Amino acid sequence: MPEPQRTLNGSARYSGIALHTGVRAHITFHPAPANAGIVIQRVDLPGKPSVAAHAGNVVDVVRATTIKQGDAVVHTVEHVLAALYALGIDNALLAMDGPEPPIADGSSLPYVEMIRSLGAVEQDAPRKLLKVTEPVFVEQGGSKVVIVPDEKYRISCTVKYGATLLDCQYLSLEVTEETFVRDLSEARTFCLYEEIEPLMRQGLIRGGSLDNAVVMKDGAIISKDGLRYPDEFVRHKMLDIVGDLSLVGRRIQGQVIAIRPGHPLNVTTACKLAAALQDQEA
Ligand SMILES: [Zn+2]
């Protein structure tokens, strides 16, 4: 018997600063019917348009994942989506009053806490699975991902930036609610100082600060409270993979082997998985 789909057992709101605009943003999580998937609604726009969190709706992958359907555009969806996926929420409506959810501390932690405080309810429909039956391979520049068949959902990830001695990292784990919450959910966004300095000058990351990112500069790590995990970088990359691959809209069964992944690679992989699924079902 397949597992039943699940949604949230109530509604809750979270507020905080949005990364790019720097304004205070609010996001409210609501339950949604079976087979609805994850839908984000822009309640601040005329007609309150919605966008489905699906790979086919991704329009931008530079630094963060942006989805759009009609007039509804939402940036930086990956940390919210990762928390929903890992905590087993198949269906939810996320109401937002701007183009970006709060960046919070740059991790999934506040969203995990919110989903856990609401709890989940089972719904009267079977979960949709994506069972990887043959290898899927994507390569972009120096980044690669291959997904091979596996009974579980596992991610093995390697990163190397060459900016500090600490940034060559590898980790492999099975993605479950327990491992996500314990091993990935608190890992924060990180970046090279050289990458963000021009963005800050152009006012493109008005909400960016050491409250929501770890910065690598001149071989050192600049962070408000040290590192949360000694290998926080690879863990955040795995968190991003969980969020981006959730755009397939299915529970994934397969092992993801990723080398220097990023949003462009992750989203191309999600699109390829979604296309393979369509072929299977055609
Ligand atoms: Zn991220």
Side-chain angles (χ1 to χ4, degrees):
M1 273 291 288
E3 292 175 353
Q5 292 180 27
R6 307 199 316 164
T7 189
L8 299 162
N9 189 23
S11 300
R13 188 165 96 139
Y14 182 78
S15 306
I17 298 299
L19 179 63
H20 295 99
T21 52
V23 301
R24 196 155 186 84
H26 308 276
I27 183 168
T28 309
F29 284 29
H30 297 290
N35 299 312
I38 308 297
V39 175
I40 306 181
Q41 189 177 24
R42 285 287 304 273
V43 296
D44 57 317
L45 296 179
K48 300 184 179 175
S50 298
V51 51
H54 193 270
N57 289 332
V58 175
V59 292
D60 190 19
V61 287
V62 178
R63 308 200 65 82
T65 301
T66 298
I67 54 175
K68 183 176 189 287
Q69 220 174 345
D71 293 330
V73 59
V74 183
H75 309 284
T76 326
V77 292
E78 60 272 13
H79 304 161
V80 178
L81 294 182
L84 288 163
Y85 181 93
L87 273 62
I89 304 299
D90 302 286
N91 306 299
L93 176 67
L94 315 180
M96 287 177 39
D97 63 353
E100 240 189 323
I103 187 68
D105 60 356
S107 79
S108 285
L109 185 61
Y111 295 112
V112 163
E113 286 171 347
M114 196 159 102
I115 297 162
R116 283 203 151 169
S117 72
L118 290 172
V121 285
E122 294 187 346
Q123 297 176 286
D124 196 15
R127 263 196 168 155
K128 297 175 194 164
L129 294 181
L130 170 73
K131 199 171 162 59
V132 175
T133 52
E134 47 192 70
V136 174
F137 177 70
V138 180
E139 180 170 17
Q140 287 174 354
S143 303
K144 287 178 196 183
V145 66
V146 55
I147 310 184
V148 294
D150 197 297
E151 283 309 302
K152 309 282 188 187
Y153 181 20
R154 290 181 219 275
I155 302 177
S156 303
C157 184
T158 304
V159 296
K160 186 177 191 322
Y161 298 91
T164 80
L165 291 174
L166 283 177
D167 70 17
C168 182
Q169 300 173 357
Y170 168 79
L171 186 68
S172 180
L173 52 74
E174 180 190 341
V175 181
T176 64
E177 175 170 341
E178 189 192 348
T179 62
F180 181 83
V181 172
R182 186 187 60 217
D183 300 326
L184 305 183
S185 71
E186 294 184 52
R188 292 161 296 177
T189 306
F190 61 90
C191 51
L192 299 172
Y193 179 78
E194 294 73 26
E195 290 175 328
I196 55 166
E197 208 246 328
L199 297 175
M200 284 190 152
R201 263 195 280 120
Q202 292 167 53
L204 291 175
I205 42 175
R206 291 174 193 274
S209 74
L210 289 177
D211 287 331
N212 46 44
V214 178
V215 178
M216 295 185 271
K217 183 175 190 286
D218 299 334
I221 287 163
I222 309 170
S223 157
K224 212 162 185 180
D225 48 0
L227 290 175
R228 292 179 174 178
Y229 309 91
D231 52 357
E232 189 166 353
F233 306 142
V234 70
R235 290 171 193 256
H236 187 81
K237 285 293 178 184
M238 293 165 81
L239 183 165
D240 280 339
I241 290 173
V242 173
D244 286 335
L245 292 191
S246 79
L247 291 164
V248 176
R250 304 274 175 138
R251 306 303 298 178
I252 295 169
Q253 249 179 50
Q255 176 165 13
V256 178
I257 300 158
I259 298 160
R260 295 172 55 103
H263 296 299
L265 184 77
N266 298 346
V267 170
T268 303
T269 305
C271 289
K272 211 162 173 177
L273 287 173
L277 197 64
Q278 273 183 347
D279 289 348
Q280 272 174 26
E281 290 173 353

